Amino acid sequence: MATVATCGGDAVGVGSAVATASKSNVTSFQRRGPRVSGTNDSGPRLVSITGTRPSVRNGQLLVSTGLPALDQLLGGGLAVGTVLLIEEDKYNIYSSLLFKYFLAEGIVNGHTLLVASANEDPANILQELPAPLLDNCKKEFDEDVYNHKTPESNIKMKIAWRYQLLPKMEQIRPVSSSRFGHYYDASKRIPQELIEASKWHGFFLPEKISPTLKVEPCSLTHGYIKLLQFIQNIIYEEGFDGSNPQKKQKNILRIGIQNLGSPLWGDDICCTENGDSGHNLTKFLYVLRGLLRTSLSACIITMPTHLIQNKAFIAHVTNLSDTVVGLESFIGSERETNPLYKDYHGLIHIRQIPRLNNLVCDESDVKDLGFKLKRKLFTIEWVQDNYLRQERNIYPPGFSYLLKQKDSAWGEGSLQHSTFLMSFLAKATAFASRLVRHSEPLKQTGSGRIRQAAGPRLWHDGRRQEAPGLLGIPP
Amino acid sequence: MFPELNNLLNTTPDRAEQGKLTLLCDAKTDGSFLVHHFLSFYLKANCKVCFVALIQSFSHYNIVGQKLGVNLTMARERGQLVFLEGLKSAVDVFFQAQEKPHPLQFLREASAGNLKPLFEFVRDALKPVDSGAAGWTYPVLLVDDLSVLLSLGLGAVAVLDFIHYCRATLCWELKGNVVVLVHDSGDVEDEENDILLNGLSHQSHLILRAEGLATGFCRDVHGQLRILWRRPSQSTSQRDQSLTYQYKIQDRSVSFFAKGMSPAVL
């Protein structure tokens, strides 16, 4: 079961000028199990919180992001106390979907939500959350899954045998509400009673600041300051950091901030090329992470990084966040018509995974991942054939008929097709290199009657053949 | 500390050099394992360590330190380790106005500040106590990492000034060491970071550069480490010595091997 060890006592360092004596040390970065060192903390109390589980690697407490496929890629889930930064896709379709999955997961697990947005009322955002798929929908769901299961996945690969070693993405099943990670139906709305039963706080920027307010210049944009104060207030009031003596809260606070960095927040980083001369956004992220590290909360932020011209700034933001996931949708791009990607709606890039309490992290071996949103499911899969990203012009004229047949065994994306392509390319390069070396004579050996060319020895049907060389004119 | 890295650097905790500036640099990969190495190295060498940890929390370093054989909580209690936890202090300095200058005072300022309060904090933490009962060998400053200071609005010149002051006090006056980590942005054009990196490279005695492999991600080889010994004070006619190794990070240690000699390949 999910456990978290909390220390009731203070952790005060002797001689350390900046340790705060009054706050108790509540953080999720505790090792599961008995503490090795003898410290002055009181013994850990084991408490289980719904919707969390400890990481298998380091005992770090994890929450689900709402997408079990993404949880798997992030090493089990999102660590409590960290920030998940989603680099938005161009039209903010799939990133807002991930945002909603995260919040819906919080509602299903009974976590407290804090939704912050500058362009949409948080109450409206909550109305649009997807409905969770529970056990009674299992039959309908199984049909959906088995329809697209390809028969080729069980064939033992002969030529491209290294691909067989790569991990397969798991087939998915709906789970009951007590499990970690749930599936959602993107076409249905969440039932109203679930929203009413949940506890949530909304931060809608136009309500919190009035435009006519005279703002004195300070270190952060006014909207960011208000948001940080709001978050800190909620954390303190509801006891998520354990410092409030009245409230003994053992629940997770899920914070969602939408479109951070957009001009609606008062930030100019997306508008100008050398914006953020005040470093508002980076300071905001730093203080936010400080708040998260000392409380039982997890945060998702979507940021329109495609609008930011200053690439160095994106590198700064990546370094200041814990987990960074980038979404790239195919809508409107030339990849939409590329048959290689015909099954997918976009690519997902896992840009950074944090190393928490550990020297190593659980990086997935598979780097080319595509996602697709079927009626009910958001799946993430390895985009096959990315290694052999083919364009139409490398095919010889005689073979393109193989590609034109839709859904044939020889269609693009199929296994036979990729093995054909690899063997074809191997032969083509051997042929080309033989032609190149044909004119290079070897050093003369033997009687001098035959001058051999330094070409690759072609193997045909098991018999070894010499490449035709240059014959010297017999004297 | 990683014994293999000690062999490569030809040092042990007993006979480490003093008065040196070590620059840790990472490009396209995470170089934080070097910070953990030096932290445990200097704690085992019985030095007084001031650790300015701007990017992660105390318990993270503590848990990794336990894997490497040092106990940060005990070190902090007996006064060997002075730990500035950047994330926690940032929350304090941001939400409450402080009476006396806080090391991270620049977070409250609208315009680009300077790091004088931070330097004063470091100096007060590491100056030798007059009673002399502690018996630490020499002071060491570790900063993880300096690129965060650049992203928070400080200029490269302010950070270079801070390092200069620290070097003058710690390396020259107190015969201690300074170890800093800077991220290399690589092909992304980050002028301030390049200024900082170049400036520090010229001042440092030892540069450890962790790079990701040029061919991309590999499960068995996590990256490449370039070690460069420099003599900044002497003339440039003496050649700097440079070595390159590839490494793989494991749960409790890091194994180093020559290029292409990974055990997975052999």
Side-chain angles (χ1 to χ4, degrees):
Chain A
M1 279 304 293
T3 59
V4 60
T6 60
C7 297
D10 298 343
V12 175
V14 172
S16 158
V18 292
T20 53
S22 56
K23 276 201 174 153
S24 66
N25 194 15
V26 169
T27 166
S28 67
F29 288 72
Q30 303 282 359
R31 188 186 282 281
R32 175 175 59 141
R35 301 267 298 222
V36 174
S37 57
T39 64
N40 60 350
D41 297 327
S42 59
R45 288 168 295 161
L46 296 182
V47 178
S48 57
I49 307 178
T50 53
T52 64
R53 71 174 174 198
S55 153
V56 291
R57 185 177 275 283
N58 52 11
Q60 177 74 39
L61 199 62
L62 301 175
V63 291
S64 170
T65 54
L67 269 187
L70 187 60
D71 286 342
Q72 206 182 4
L73 290 169
L74 296 182
L78 183 66
V80 173
T82 61
V83 167
L84 169 63
L85 177 73
I86 307 236
E87 297 184 353
E88 289 177 8
D89 54 312
K90 205 160 153 199
Y91 301 106
N92 196 14
I93 298 175
Y94 299 105
S95 46
S96 65
L97 196 59
L98 287 190
F99 187 77
K100 290 182 182 138
Y101 280 137
F102 186 83
L103 297 177
E105 183 73 25
I107 289 191
V108 169
N109 285 320
H111 297 158
T112 310
L113 298 184
L114 196 161
V115 186
S117 172
N119 54 345
E120 213 177 331
D121 195 352
N124 292 342
I125 297 178
L126 286 182
Q127 294 294 325
E128 290 172 5
L129 293 185
L133 282 175
L134 299 171
D135 274 338
N136 46 16
C137 314
K138 193 174 176 357
K139 223 189 306 185
E140 200 181 318
F141 181 85
D142 278 345
E143 274 173 28
D144 214 10
V145 166
Y146 286 122
N147 268 343
H148 80 277
K149 190 172 156 76
T150 55
E152 295 128 7
S153 49
N154 293 329
I155 297 176
K156 203 162 144 46
M157 304 193 190
K158 291 194 196 61
I159 297 180
W161 55 274
R162 283 238 180 236
Y163 287 174
Q164 203 163 356
L165 302 173
L166 282 167
K168 287 193 175 51
M169 297 290 159
E170 284 175 7
Q171 288 298 327
I172 39 202
R173 300 277 178 271
V175 293
S176 63
S177 56
S178 62
R179 286 271 300 271
F180 182 87
H182 300 83
Y183 296 97
Y184 296 91
D185 185 353
S187 56
K188 294 202 192 111
R189 296 271 170 264
I190 196 167
Q192 193 63 25
E193 54 267 12
L194 275 182
I195 301 181
E196 279 159 19
S198 70
K199 190 138 191 271
W200 62 274
H201 306 273
F203 180 94
F204 187 36
L205 189 67
E207 281 172 11
K208 301 286 180 180
I209 56 169
S210 67
T212 55
L213 190 68
K214 183 172 167 307
V215 178
E216 63 279 352
C218 55
S219 57
L220 276 196
T221 316
H222 198 60
Y224 291 157
I225 296 183
K226 283 281 181 195
L227 178 57
L228 281 174
Q229 285 170 346
F230 183 77
I231 294 176
Q232 198 231 9
N233 212 23
I234 300 283
I235 289 179
Y236 179 71
E237 294 283 315
E238 311 229 340
F240 287 106
D241 60 354
S243 64
N244 198 341
Q246 279 88 34
K247 279 277 216 170
K248 290 295 176 194
Q249 176 72 268
K250 285 296 167 267
N251 201 356
I252 304 280
L253 174 68
R254 284 190 185 232
I255 305 175
I257 307 178
Q258 210 179 29
N259 296 127
L260 191 67
S262 78
L264 289 172
W265 285 98
D267 199 352
D268 63 348
I269 183 61
C270 293
C271 315
T272 65
E273 187 167 331
N274 285 324
D276 202 52
S277 49
H279 296 268
N280 296 306
L281 189 51
T282 44
K283 280 187 192 169
F284 170 82
L285 275 178
Y286 194 71
V287 179
L288 175 69
R289 234 164 123 243
L291 280 174
L292 293 179
R293 282 287 197 273
T294 50
S295 62
L296 286 173
S297 47
C299 181
I300 188 172
I301 299 180
T302 65
M303 191 180 288
T305 48
H306 55 97
L307 295 176
I308 298 179
Q309 315 253 6
N310 189 357
K311 298 298 168 201
F313 180 77
I314 300 180
H316 284 313
V317 164
T318 304
N319 285 338
L320 286 175
S321 320
D322 297 300
T323 315
V324 182
V325 169
L327 290 176
E328 180 189 340
S329 84
F330 293 149
I331 297 176
S333 79
E334 45 115 21
R335 284 176 172 172
E336 203 174 359
T337 50
N338 189 340
L340 173 66
Y341 296 124
K342 72 172 176 349
D343 289 330
Y344 300 100
H345 290 121
L347 295 179
I348 185 164
H349 308 279
I350 310 281
R351 305 225 193 260
Q352 182 174 277
I353 298 182
R355 292 163 195 246
L356 297 168
N357 297 350
N358 223 323
L359 287 170
V360 291
C361 62
D362 277 321
E363 258 186 284
S364 153
D365 283 345
V366 182
K367 297 291 176 188
D368 302 311
L369 299 160
F371 65 86
K372 58 186 164 201
L373 179 64
K374 289 209 149 181
R375 266 184 311 132
K376 292 187 180 172
L377 249 31
F378 192 101
T379 52
I380 301 179
E381 289 172 6
W382 176 53
V383 180
Q384 286 180 351
D385 289 323
N386 207 31
Y387 180 82
L388 309 168
R389 195 185 292 272
Q390 67 269 30
E391 306 289 335
R392 291 217 174 257
N393 52 7
I394 71 168
Y395 286 118
F399 290 104
S400 58
Y401 75 93
L402 290 170
L403 307 169
K404 289 192 182 126
Q405 301 169 33
K406 193 171 153 47
D407 291 334
S408 73
W410 284 93
E412 293 188 31
S414 75
L415 172 65
Q416 284 84 343
H417 178 256
S418 64
T419 56
F420 153 73
L421 191 63
M422 278 188 80
S423 58
F424 167 74
L425 285 175
K427 287 195 195 128
T429 47
F431 184 77
S433 66
R434 173 184 157 270
L435 287 179
V436 164
R437 293 189 189 184
H438 189 79
S439 49
E440 263 180 358
L442 262 183
K443 216 163 44 164
Q444 196 126 351
T445 55
S447 59
R449 277 192 57 218
I450 297 178
R451 245 191 273 151
Q452 276 187 347
R457 311 292 165 93
L458 292 178
W459 296 65
H460 290 289
D461 307 322
R463 281 186 303 121
R464 192 172 161 174
Q465 272 189 6
E466 297 289 313
L470 292 171
L471 290 176
I473 301 168
Chain B
M1 67 175 186
F2 309 127
E4 292 191 35
L5 186 54
N6 280 345
N7 293 340
L8 294 181
L9 294 175
N10 213 12
T11 56
T12 57
D14 308 322
R15 46 177 198 86
E17 291 183 323
Q18 291 182 244
K20 302 288 178 209
L21 168 65
T22 305
L23 174 66
L24 310 174
C25 176
D26 59 14
K28 285 204 239 164
T29 186
D30 189 10
S32 55
F33 69 97
L34 294 169
V35 175
H36 294 297
H37 163 82
F38 280 103
L39 178 61
S40 52
F41 179 88
Y42 284 118
L43 282 176
K44 283 192 181 162
N46 217 15
C47 305
K48 181 143 193 210
V49 179
C50 174
F51 190 10
V52 178
L54 297 172
I55 203 78
Q56 295 283 7
S57 59
F58 175 76
S59 33
H60 165 77
Y61 294 102
N62 195 14
I63 293 179
V64 181
Q66 280 172 3
K67 293 187 183 184
L68 299 183
V70 288
N71 190 333
L72 292 188
T73 326
M74 294 285 294
R76 196 160 73 163
E77 277 167 26
R78 60 171 189 255
Q80 190 189 7
L81 173 68
V82 177
F83 199 95
L84 172 59
E85 197 170 340
L87 290 173
K88 206 156 82 161
S89 332
V91 172
D92 294 334
V93 76
F94 189 77
F95 288 109
Q96 298 145 358
Q98 306 277 317
E99 320 76 37
K100 51 183 176 57
H102 190 273
L104 298 184
Q105 190 68 28
F106 60 89
L107 279 178
R108 288 189 70 90
E109 289 158 22
S111 57
N114 64 6
L115 285 169
K116 194 150 172 291
L118 184 61
F119 165 68
E120 279 163 9
F121 169 80
V122 169
R123 189 190 55 199
D124 296 335
L126 288 181
K127 67 172 179 244
V129 179
D130 294 326
S131 60
W136 311 121
T137 45
Y138 50 90
V140 173
L141 167 68
L142 252 101
V143 184
D144 179 22
D145 56 63
L146 286 182
S147 304
V148 169
L149 294 175
L150 289 181
S151 7
L152 291 177
L154 290 163
V157 177
V159 181
L160 282 171
D161 285 343
F162 165 71
I163 294 293
H164 179 78
Y165 270 82
C166 287
R167 254 189 356 125
T169 317
L170 294 178
C171 295
W172 187 76
E173 199 181 309
L174 298 174
K175 302 284 182 292
N177 285 344
V178 177
V179 180
V180 293
L181 173 70
V182 180
H183 292 302
D184 188 4
S185 46
D187 43 355
V188 175
E189 291 294 325
D190 192 351
E191 241 184 73
E192 295 272 305
N193 205 8
D194 290 339
I195 295 175
L196 177 64
L197 192 59
N198 289 335
L200 285 179
S201 305
H202 282 290
Q203 296 175 27
S204 45
H205 297 89
L206 174 64
I207 303 181
L208 293 177
R209 200 181 148 89
E211 299 165 346
L213 295 178
T215 45
F217 171 74
C218 173
R219 208 172 3 156
D220 301 305
V221 177
H222 289 151
Q224 185 168 289
L225 182 70
R226 301 226 315 244
I227 309 175
L228 180 64
W229 283 274
R230 294 188 71 249
R231 309 257 182 282
S233 49
Q234 295 174 1
S235 62
T236 52
S237 60
Q238 194 170 20
R239 296 194 65 188
D240 303 331
Q241 191 192 359
S242 160
L243 289 176
T244 309
Y245 293 95
Q246 290 179 342
Y247 62 86
K248 177 176 178 181
I249 306 180
Q250 284 137 0
D251 192 38
R252 282 176 185 265
S253 67
V254 178
S255 61
F256 292 87
F257 35 85
K259 272 204 216 181
M261 307 285 275
S262 157
V265 173
L266 293 177

